[in-house]
Amino acid sequence: MARHTVPIGTKTERAGARRGNTGSICAWELRNVVRLPALWGFLALCLLLNSWMIVGTGISAGWRDDLAYAARTAANAGTTVDERFVAALAAQPASDERDALLRYVQSGFGPGYEGYDAIAAGDWYAAVLDAQGHPHLALQMRLKAQWLQSRAEHLAATGASDDFAAGSLTTLLHSVAATVVQATMVEGMILGPIIMLYAVGGDRFHRLDPLVNASRTGRRTMNRKLAVGVCCSTAAYLVIAAAVPLVFALVFRIPGLWSSSVSSRMLGVSTDVGLQPFLTWADFSMGGYLCASLGLGLLFTLAFTLFAGALGMLLRNVLAAFGVVMAFGVAGLVAMMFIHDALAYQLLGIQPMYALANASQWFTDMGTHAMLPWQETVVTLISVGYFAVALIVARRAYSGKDLT
Amino acid sequence: MNRRVFLAEMRKIWRPLPLIAALAVFVVGALFAANQTHLVEGPYRNVDVVVESAEFGPVYTPETRRAVQTELEKAKAAFAADMAADPAAREQGVTDWDSYHDWQDRMIAAGGDSSAIDAYALSSYERVNSLEFLLRYAETDGEQIRATLNDGVCFVRGFPQGAPCGDVPGAAARRIDQLVAQAGRRSLLGYGVISTIQESGGTMMVTAVLCAMLLTMFTMTRDRQLRLPSLQWASRTGRSVRSWQAAAVGCSAALAALTVGTVWAAWLAVRLRPVLGTGINTALATDMPWFDWTVLQYLVAYAAVAVLASLALSLVAAWIVRARQNYIRMLLVAIPVGVAAGCLVKFRIGAHLGYLANPLNRLLMVPGVETIALAAILVLAVALWTVDARLLRRRELPVA
Amino acid sequence: MLTVEHVTKTFSGTTVLRDVNLTFEQGVYGLLAPNGAGKSTLMKMLATLLFPTDGSIRWNGEDIIAMDDRYRGLLGYLPQEFGYYPNYTPRQFLRYIAALQGVRRARADKRIEKLLGLVGLADAADKKMKTFSGGMIQRVGIAQALIAEPQLLILDEPTAGLDPKERVRFRNIIHDLAADRIVILSTHIVSDLETIAGKIIMLKNAQVLRCDTPATICGELEGHVWEVPGGMPLGDGRKLLSEVQYGTETRQRIYSPAPLAAADAITPVVPNLEDAFLMIYGE
């Protein structure tokens, strides 16, 4: 019997076959991931938990009446806290809610953030950094204070400070939103790596590894697996994240809430220098801020997903890879919670957990936790960057690795 | 035969990698617990709550009252000396404690600057403040105690502060009677001691449960991954190997929790040495303790409940997870189970253990409701494993 | 004595074994059948891992399920895909199996020494099994099946992964063991069965087709198996069994119902078990 020594098909035909196969291989890999029932169960649990956190706050006895009153007030008196608003509010029938809301809108900062001094706050932070022996960081802090002051002037000029938002519930709403965003980040941090590890390492469970890697596509199959892992992790996070603004909008139904500025003086943040308005580096509405936060959460999930992919290829043990990813995350969070020296905090903060630890103050000044505007975004992007590099390096190593 | 199988299964649980993971969780938990101490208080000066609690002895008696009053007089004299040395105080005509407060009231009413005399930074101010606080709460009589405790019961039942709520449930009423009868024999234990034990104890419990689960949840899945069940089931021990695995899970969980609880209790006991024999029924806190424990007994109670929680929840978790087809499926089940267990322990079992403020009292207002809940979970776990063992006898070997 | 009485096994509507009746006494029994014929299913039922849909399996008249640990205590089982703990040494792994089998520690240790010597792993007794070759793992598997000195050995593909020297060693072990116990083994290496099996059990269409000695089975083909030149047309009634290579010459091994005319290149050969397998299961 004659033996074939020439590969079947022309070069063009073989290349075409590879291209055509790419789509079908990805489809098979995708099929493997989406047909895991436990994955959908986990996703459903995440959605339930996040919804419960939002709904539980909105309907809890302590806040339900205040929420309804804020909605009525916004409908009757408008969504800009000016003299006309205060008069209209005072004219509403006497009640505990009216009195509490009147006190709230008249306390804290005045119109245009009157009573707030960014430069003074910056000087206070700088003094702390000087005391720690970091004069360069102190200088940066003063510089940042100047940028913040110009932001405060801009926001005051646009009237952002006078938006009613959710009235006295604005701080609560922001707090709940921050908690839910943190929850989605943690869920993404867990689910993303699990999906990636299943995509990358699932063949080993069924002892298909030798077969797959000895095929024509061979180790190039790993590229498809990584792509499917990233896409599915992203999709899972998006499913979780998409539900958040939806549920918020259903529960917190106050006219003008989601289009009002997140830098409204209704939102006061407790900091080391005292009460501070929520001044963001760009103009955000409440809805826009929530979506931007969830967007940053996506980058956060991506970082951990890429890390898991790299480890999945290098360690060849799914449990160990997952353990290392989680250990990295926990160590990063512990560092952010217990390190007090500013320089050490900045250096150890070049990892994704920096963002999680500061989730309640994203896109704002963040006191001594940030030296630069948008630092949480920059750090997360850097994290995605170096994990992407790790993934590429791991992929290269995988090409030459013995597959025992 | 069975003992050797049991020991072999124990050996499979206590392997290096899971031990390292449990140790890592222990270290993180210890970090959090260590940061949940409230033994140094005071807005301006660091007041050692333990030293303060031990100063006048374990029980507040008439002799103690006299000693406190004597110290109060000394402290007021020291404050008067500090005022005499303060130019701002001399200028304002403030000479002693009473005249300082009169001056402060006038300044506040007139909208003036009441911080012109910086009394808060003075140790004599802190001392007088804490002694007056002590006397105010220690001197409450039986009926005032009853009223406070009844309010507490109504609050736990969901009524607003101060609103009446009808008859007090039987067990709570009996306990209130006991505490009222002890009105003259309460301790002066600072609330910082109790809150330290409760907060760090809650964290310790979560750590114990998570360490236990990390050690025990993966064994059966690992066996299935390694295709051991066919050998195990075909042996003399047969399918009952699963029961021995469950027993090993329970013992390992209890052992891990005992280690965590002991380390925590020992660490805190050293710090609380001066007040270990002091009763937790203190005049300086309004929450009702269900038991007449000392501080040492309270530490032991927290550690013991941690062991029970780890045993019960690890057995339930191991049953839920059992032998999944692969590690990914196992993680997708084990993580939500672990989170649920952690939340249950942190927010329901470990929160204000042994006190009326524990949230479980809303469901069943009896002493030891936390232990009852855990015992019920343990019974459920045993029932689940018993049924599992029965059903397994007729179950065929699954496809790997 | 082990008896399989009217055993039927159905999986999700598909009958894998139907009304199987077999009796096993001392000696070696080889299960021979194509893949999917029900060999492993039968072996798993004998090992109590699966349960008959109908019928019963009895040991000395007693139902093996009802006997529970008394039956499993006299059973030694080597599954087709044998699992182990990679970080255990053979000694540790065999101790674990001994514990499962209820063998006392002191006796188990002596037994382990002997078995490791028997399977040629005495030098590797304390090395981690993750460093072993497939053949070494398989030898550990054989050793664990013998740990409790079983009266009944069930071996599913026991020579998979063994080199010829190891297969010979294995055949010798089985030969010695079969003197006073029942050994049931399944394998695709037909030559192994020819040399050690006293009886061959052939399964077809979910039923027992034959249960006979190799000599009887092969004897039915006596005078009907020929070697002819490769490419020679077969003609009616004849069947190609296999092709054999002699250097550069290819010859065909065929079945002919009638004797062939003698010629230089046409020779009668002694039929073997593989010929019988191919005849019975060929299309």
Side-chain angles (χ1 to χ4, degrees):
Chain A
M1 190 157 79
R3 289 190 302 145
H4 284 281
T5 54
V6 176
I8 296 171
T10 64
K11 196 170 169 185
T12 313
E13 282 166 348
R14 291 198 304 279
R18 273 202 300 274
R19 277 197 300 276
N21 273 347
T22 302
S24 64
I25 292 172
C26 280
W28 282 112
E29 296 298 333
L30 186 66
R31 185 177 180 270
N32 284 342
V33 173
V34 301
R35 285 178 67 141
L36 188 58
L39 193 64
W40 295 99
F42 194 98
L43 210 53
L45 280 174
C46 292
L47 289 169
L48 267 170
L49 176 69
N50 296 343
S51 302
W52 173 75
M53 279 194 284
I54 301 167
V55 172
T57 309
I59 64 171
S60 74
W63 302 110
R64 198 171 41 224
D65 295 336
D66 290 322
L67 191 57
Y69 193 80
R72 278 201 301 277
T73 303
N76 294 337
T79 58
T80 303
V81 180
D82 50 17
E83 283 164 9
R84 194 193 64 77
F85 177 93
V86 173
L89 177 58
Q92 287 186 166
S95 66
D96 289 338
E97 288 90 1
R98 184 202 70 168
D99 295 342
L101 187 54
L102 256 174
R103 275 197 301 275
Y104 189 84
V105 301
Q106 288 167 327
S107 67
F109 297 107
Y113 310 117
E114 184 187 286
Y116 172 66
D117 184 350
I119 304 294
D123 286 341
W124 191 93
Y125 288 130
V128 169
L129 295 173
D130 274 326
Q132 286 184 3
H134 306 304
H136 296 103
L137 294 182
L139 189 62
Q140 179 60 31
M141 196 58 54
R142 290 194 175 92
L143 198 58
K144 194 179 70 162
Q146 287 171 8
W147 295 332
L148 193 63
Q149 184 62 41
S150 61
R151 278 297 299 165
E153 285 158 11
H154 162 77
L155 286 165
T158 60
S161 74
D162 298 328
D163 284 349
F164 177 66
S168 58
L169 290 181
T170 312
T171 305
L172 168 75
L173 173 61
H174 171 75
S175 170
V176 171
T179 305
V180 173
V181 165
Q182 283 177 312
T184 62
M185 289 168 76
V186 171
E187 289 154 5
M189 176 186 148
I190 292 172
L191 199 51
I194 286 180
I195 291 172
M196 176 60 102
L197 287 170
Y198 188 61
V200 164
D203 282 344
R204 271 200 293 286
F205 298 138
H206 308 293
R207 301 181 178 211
L208 277 168
D209 230 23
L211 209 73
V212 169
N213 286 290
S215 68
R216 172 176 249 177
T217 315
R219 291 173 198 232
R220 289 199 307 275
T221 317
M222 185 54 72
N223 300 344
R224 280 77 159 173
K225 290 174 182 292
L226 290 170
V228 164
V230 168
C231 290
C232 288
S233 303
T234 304
Y237 175 82
L238 287 173
V239 166
I240 295 171
V244 172
L246 218 68
V247 178
F248 259 116
L250 283 171
V251 172
F252 288 86
R253 280 185 286 197
I254 300 172
L257 167 61
W258 299 108
S259 57
S260 47
S261 172
V262 76
S263 301
S264 157
R265 55 192 170 88
M266 295 298 109
L267 177 54
V269 183
S270 278
T271 66
D272 291 335
V273 293
L275 196 68
Q276 186 168 313
F278 199 75
L279 303 175
T280 51
W281 296 112
D283 296 354
F284 279 115
S285 63
M286 297 285 281
Y289 182 84
L290 182 61
C291 292
S293 301
L294 292 168
L296 187 57
L298 175 62
L299 285 179
F300 178 86
T301 299
L302 183 62
F304 279 99
T305 300
L306 294 173
F307 187 28
L311 288 175
M313 284 186 285
L314 289 174
L315 292 181
R316 314 264 300 147
N317 179 325
V318 154
L319 216 50
F322 185 76
V324 171
V325 172
M326 291 299 113
F328 175 85
V330 169
L333 187 63
V334 166
M336 293 297 93
M337 289 176 75
F338 293 105
I339 301 286
H340 298 299
D341 178 76
L343 183 61
Y345 190 90
Q346 294 303 311
L347 291 174
L348 289 172
I350 310 178
Q351 40 94 2
M353 297 309 263
Y354 170 87
L356 183 70
N358 292 289
S360 59
Q361 297 182 69
W362 281 352
F363 318 130
T364 70
D365 155 54
M366 294 209 289
T368 54
H369 285 182
M371 296 297 134
L372 303 167
W374 305 100
Q375 188 162 322
E376 71 294 307
T377 312
V378 169
V379 161
T380 309
L381 280 169
I382 290 173
S383 305
V384 169
Y386 61 62
F387 283 135
V389 168
L391 187 75
I392 292 166
V393 168
R395 175 65 187 91
R396 288 228 166 108
Y398 183 79
S399 293
K401 196 175 161 61
D402 286 341
L403 301 175
T404 50
Chain B
M1 170 189 86
N2 294 336
R3 196 177 130 254
R4 285 177 52 218
V5 172
F6 170 73
L7 288 174
E9 295 301 328
M10 287 285 282
R11 189 165 174 265
K12 280 157 62 181
I13 288 173
W14 294 83
R15 291 181 300 119
L17 271 179
L19 263 175
I20 289 170
L23 196 63
V25 168
F26 173 76
V27 166
V28 172
L31 257 174
F32 278 94
N35 273 275
Q36 286 169 324
T37 56
H38 309 286
L39 301 177
V40 175
E41 283 177 353
Y44 293 97
R45 298 186 53 80
N46 294 333
V47 175
D48 190 322
V49 175
V50 177
V51 167
E52 239 189 16
S53 301
E55 184 180 359
F56 298 106
V59 177
Y60 186 73
T61 60
E63 287 76 28
T64 315
R65 189 193 313 124
R66 281 192 286 278
V68 173
Q69 281 168 338
T70 306
E71 285 301 311
L72 182 59
E73 281 157 24
K74 282 188 199 164
K76 281 185 174 175
F79 182 79
D82 284 337
M83 288 296 99
D86 186 341
R90 284 200 305 272
E91 193 183 314
Q92 298 291 329
V94 169
T95 55
D96 58 14
W97 181 259
D98 293 332
S99 61
Y100 169 75
H101 282 287
D102 288 339
W103 170 84
Q104 198 180 45
D105 291 339
R106 283 198 310 274
M107 292 303 285
I108 289 168
D113 181 14
S114 63
S115 63
I117 301 173
D118 191 14
Y120 294 136
L122 296 171
S123 59
S124 58
Y125 178 89
E126 192 69 51
R127 180 68 169 157
V128 172
N129 222 17
S130 65
L131 288 171
E132 283 202 331
F133 174 85
L134 202 151
L135 269 179
R136 187 163 56 246
Y137 281 91
E139 287 300 309
T140 50
D141 64 20
E143 287 320 301
Q144 283 171 309
I145 294 170
R146 185 185 297 282
T148 304
L149 295 177
N150 281 339
D151 276 350
V153 169
C154 292
F155 184 72
V156 165
R157 292 168 78 193
F159 289 81
Q161 195 84 24
C165 61
D167 290 337
V168 173
R174 283 190 294 278
R175 182 58 183 160
I176 290 173
D177 288 340
Q178 285 172 353
L179 291 171
V180 167
Q182 293 170 22
R185 296 193 304 278
R186 296 185 296 170
S187 74
L188 294 175
L189 193 67
Y191 187 66
V193 173
I194 296 173
S195 64
T196 295
I197 296 174
Q198 290 177 344
E199 276 189 49
S200 67
T203 301
M204 176 275 296
M205 263 193 215
V206 172
T207 306
V209 167
L210 291 180
C211 285
M213 284 186 174
L214 262 176
L215 276 175
T216 58
M217 270 208 288
F218 307 123
T219 330
M220 289 175 221
T221 298
R222 183 170 173 260
D223 270 2
R224 184 169 173 181
Q225 272 283 278
L226 296 174
R227 296 171 187 242
L228 264 303
S230 56
L231 282 183
Q232 291 167 335
W233 290 16
S235 71
R236 170 169 271 181
T237 307
R239 287 160 172 80
S240 64
V241 71
R242 184 77 77 89
S243 302
W244 290 109
Q245 288 174 330
V249 162
C251 285
S252 300
L255 205 60
L258 187 65
T259 308
V260 172
T262 304
V263 168
W264 168 83
W267 162 71
L268 258 190
V270 167
R271 186 70 183 84
L272 300 176
R273 206 169 35 228
V275 293
L276 283 178
T278 305
I280 60 172
N281 177 21
T282 171
L284 304 182
T286 53
D287 191 13
M288 182 178 92
W290 281 107
F291 304 98
D292 295 324
W293 284 331
T294 62
V295 165
L296 179 62
Q297 287 168 335
Y298 198 30
L299 289 174
V300 170
Y302 252 99
V305 170
V307 171
L308 180 60
S310 298
L311 172 64
L313 294 171
S314 292
L315 280 172
V316 170
W319 182 85
I320 294 171
V321 175
R322 274 173 297 176
R324 296 282 153 179
Q325 216 174 33
N326 57 59
Y327 289 128
I328 294 293
R329 285 176 195 237
M330 185 202 68
L331 284 172
L332 287 169
V333 175
I335 289 170
V337 169
V339 168
C343 288
L344 176 71
V345 166
K346 177 70 179 169
F347 300 116
R348 290 291 179 265
I349 304 290
H352 308 281
L353 180 76
Y355 277 73
L356 185 67
N358 181 282
L360 291 177
N361 284 287
R362 281 178 225 148
L363 299 172
L364 183 67
M365 199 176 282
V366 294
V369 63
E370 308 91 342
T371 312
I372 293 169
L374 288 173
I377 294 172
L378 183 60
V379 166
L380 172 68
V382 169
L384 288 171
W385 279 110
T386 305
V387 168
D388 183 77
R390 280 246 149 97
L391 292 176
L392 200 65
R393 292 174 81 174
R394 294 304 306 168
R395 197 174 303 148
E396 298 189 330
L397 186 74
V399 173
Chain C
M1 186 167 71
L2 181 70
T3 52
V4 177
E5 297 172 8
H6 301 289
V7 162
T8 297
K9 181 63 183 169
T10 308
F11 288 112
S12 305
T14 305
T15 302
V16 177
L17 291 168
R18 187 184 306 115
D19 196 31
V20 170
N21 290 281
L22 291 164
T23 301
F24 299 95
E25 290 171 311
Q26 258 168 29
V28 182
Y29 295 79
L31 265 181
L32 192 61
N35 292 329
K39 293 194 305 299
S40 282
T41 302
L42 179 60
M43 298 197 114
K44 284 181 181 171
M45 283 196 287
L46 295 176
T48 71
L49 299 177
L50 302 177
F51 306 114
T53 311
D54 252 321
S56 65
I57 302 172
R58 295 178 179 277
W59 176 261
N60 292 339
E62 217 181 329
D63 184 87
I64 62 170
I65 310 296
M67 282 180 72
D68 203 13
D69 60 308
R70 284 184 298 125
Y71 171 73
R72 292 192 306 272
L74 46 84
L75 167 70
Y77 176 55
L78 174 61
Q80 188 171 6
E81 279 161 340
F82 158 55
Y84 59 95
Y85 295 119
N87 282 324
Y88 277 26
T89 64
R91 195 187 303 282
Q92 288 169 330
F93 184 70
L94 291 174
R95 277 187 184 146
Y96 174 60
I97 301 297
L100 288 173
Q101 287 290 47
V103 179
R104 286 184 198 285
R105 173 68 183 254
R107 184 164 150 250
D109 282 347
K110 282 193 197 138
R111 188 97 186 110
I112 287 166
E113 283 303 325
K114 188 174 164 199
L115 286 171
L116 288 174
L118 186 70
V119 298
L121 285 175
D123 291 340
D126 297 305
K127 291 187 182 156
K128 290 195 178 177
M129 284 169 69
K130 66 182 176 190
T131 63
F132 282 10
S133 67
M136 292 168 80
I137 299 288
Q138 198 67 3
R139 283 191 263 159
V140 174
I142 293 162
Q144 66 78 30
L146 298 171
I147 196 91
E149 292 180 275
Q151 293 177 48
L152 169 63
L153 259 181
I154 297 173
L155 310 170
D156 203 343
E157 305 283 351
T159 55
L162 299 186
D163 64 36
K165 187 173 140 202
E166 287 166 340
R167 294 213 331 263
V168 167
R169 183 207 290 264
F170 166 76
R171 288 205 292 261
N172 294 340
I173 294 170
I174 296 301
H175 213 65
D176 293 336
L177 291 172
D180 54 359
R181 52 175 59 81
I182 300 169
V183 179
I184 305 170
L185 61 93
S186 82
T187 179
H188 289 120
I189 305 171
V190 183
S191 55
D192 284 343
L193 286 182
E194 253 179 328
T195 46
I196 53 170
K199 281 246 177 93
I200 304 292
I201 299 163
M202 300 177 99
L203 302 173
K204 189 172 182 179
N205 295 331
Q207 290 182 299
V208 175
L209 183 70
R210 300 292 297 274
C211 181
D212 255 317
T213 63
T216 309
I217 293 171
C218 297
E220 288 168 4
L221 295 177
E222 193 68 51
H224 294 285
V225 180
W226 300 79
E227 267 189 22
V228 301
M232 179 182 122
L234 293 178
D236 286 338
R238 292 178 195 154
K239 191 173 174 174
L240 173 67
L241 297 173
S242 59
E243 285 185 349
V244 187
Q245 197 77 22
Y246 294 102
T248 55
E249 188 196 358
T250 305
R251 290 173 66 74
Q252 294 177 104
R253 205 172 163 96
I254 64 166
Y255 166 85
S256 174
L260 296 180
D264 281 341
I266 297 174
T267 48
V269 291
V270 175
N272 57 31
L273 206 52
E274 188 176 286
D275 297 327
F277 184 93
L278 293 167
M279 267 307 296
I280 290 166
Y281 295 112
E283 272 139 32

